Amino acid sequence: QLQLQESGPGLVKPSETLSLTCTVSGDSISSRTYYWGWIRQPPGRGPEWIGSIYYSGSTYYNPSLKSQVTISVDTSKNQFSLKLSSVTAADTAVYFCARLWYSAAGGAPTFDYWGQGTLVTVSS
Amino acid sequence: SYELTQPPSVSVSPGQTASITCSGDKLGDKYASWYQQKPGLSPVLVIYQDTKRPSGIPERFSGSNSGNTATLTISGTQAMDESDYYCQAWDTSTAVFGGGTKLTVL
């Protein structure tokens, strides 16, 4: 059964870089059917997509966050990672990693599996 | 930037039909997904590509999408369906989520 697990510091200081890793188990991150993504959800608000990555390293990011975001993949560890630079209190949120599934029949991809999420607070 | 608008709350009596809408410019030309989220848990996909149900999602969940509005319909609503629901679509390779609708079953 597929599992995604986020890990990383729960507290980050303003202006520093937030770093999180998602470990995938139960499936290969190198599967050609999937991208892998990061999504965040500020307290009491809706989710916000941060960006996604393919096992080859191909990425695409939310234009509103693109200048701050780097997503990378380590296929040998079946992991992918998020770095968000120059954080402020507005970046406080629960951060989820998720699998982005592309149907062989076509149509838009969808986030079919999510990790449990990890709360990251930006505060001095 | 593209926006998806949902009503903040919807109420329904047990056994009745609940409809949750999601509005966006020419949303019917895109595909909509719907996610259910209970407090403290991660979202669960309930509808994708407008009308399709993932394995394990009850048949009482259905979806439609036309014009500027996508709709999630829950037939025979049960107490366990009380949750937050979010729509999501893609606009020029950017995933966009709605602000969410709290479904209350009372």
Side-chain angles (χ1 to χ4, degrees):
Chain A
Q1 182 178 352
L2 178 69
Q3 290 189 327
L4 298 92
Q5 180 67 58
E6 305 88 351
S7 60
L11 181 64
V12 181
K13 289 182 168 55
S15 80
E16 296 189 344
T17 296
L18 178 160
S19 296
L20 295 174
T21 295
C22 181
T23 300
V24 179
S25 58
D27 196 2
S28 171
I29 204 169
S30 299
S31 171
R32 297 186 178 185
T33 312
Y34 309 118
Y35 269 69
W36 305 88
W38 288 99
I39 299 154
R40 69 181 183 180
Q41 186 172 27
R45 294 175 58 185
E48 178 182 34
W49 174 69
I50 299 171
S52 295
I53 190 165
Y54 196 49
Y55 77 95
S56 63
S58 174
T59 55
Y60 55 115
Y61 299 137
N62 188 326
S64 67
L65 297 170
K66 189 173 184 178
S67 63
Q68 287 181 267
V69 175
T70 302
I71 297 175
S72 59
V73 64
D74 186 337
T75 55
S76 68
K77 295 181 179 179
N78 228 36
Q79 295 176 335
F80 61 105
S81 298
L82 168 70
K83 291 188 184 300
L84 186 69
S85 63
S86 305
V87 297
T88 69
D91 296 307
T92 293
V94 175
Y95 285 75
F96 297 96
C97 58
R99 188 175 79 173
L100 184 56
W101 171 62
Y102 282 77
S103 168
T110 194
F111 299 100
D112 65 342
Y113 280 94
W114 298 58
Q116 66 183 25
T118 186
L119 174 63
V120 179
T121 302
V122 179
S123 174
S124 56
Chain B
S1 61
Y2 194 76
E3 293 185 356
L4 294 173
T5 301
Q6 300 181 235
S9 63
V10 168
S11 296
V12 64
S13 299
Q16 298 304 301
T17 297
S19 295
I20 299 173
T21 58
C22 174
S23 299
D25 185 47
K26 298 180 181 178
L27 180 56
D29 292 342
K30 311 177 191 299
Y31 281 108
S33 294
W34 290 91
Y35 303 87
Q36 176 193 65
Q37 186 178 32
K38 295 184 184 292
L41 299 180
S42 53
V44 173
L45 178 69
V46 294
I47 293 290
Y48 67 99
Q49 293 182 5
D50 295 339
T51 62
K52 299 176 181 178
R53 275 181 297 104
S55 172
I57 300 302
E59 290 184 8
R60 64 179 180 273
F61 288 86
S62 63
S64 63
N65 187 13
S66 179
N68 294 321
T69 303
T71 302
L72 174 69
T73 301
I74 309 173
S75 304
T77 307
Q78 300 183 9
M80 68 173 65
D81 301 328
E82 186 164 285
S83 300
D84 293 327
Y85 291 87
Y86 297 94
C87 60
Q88 179 259 315
W90 291 88
D91 179 67
T92 58
S93 298
T94 299
V96 179
F97 288 87
T101 298
K102 180 176 182 58
L103 177 68
T104 301
V105 183
L106 44 65

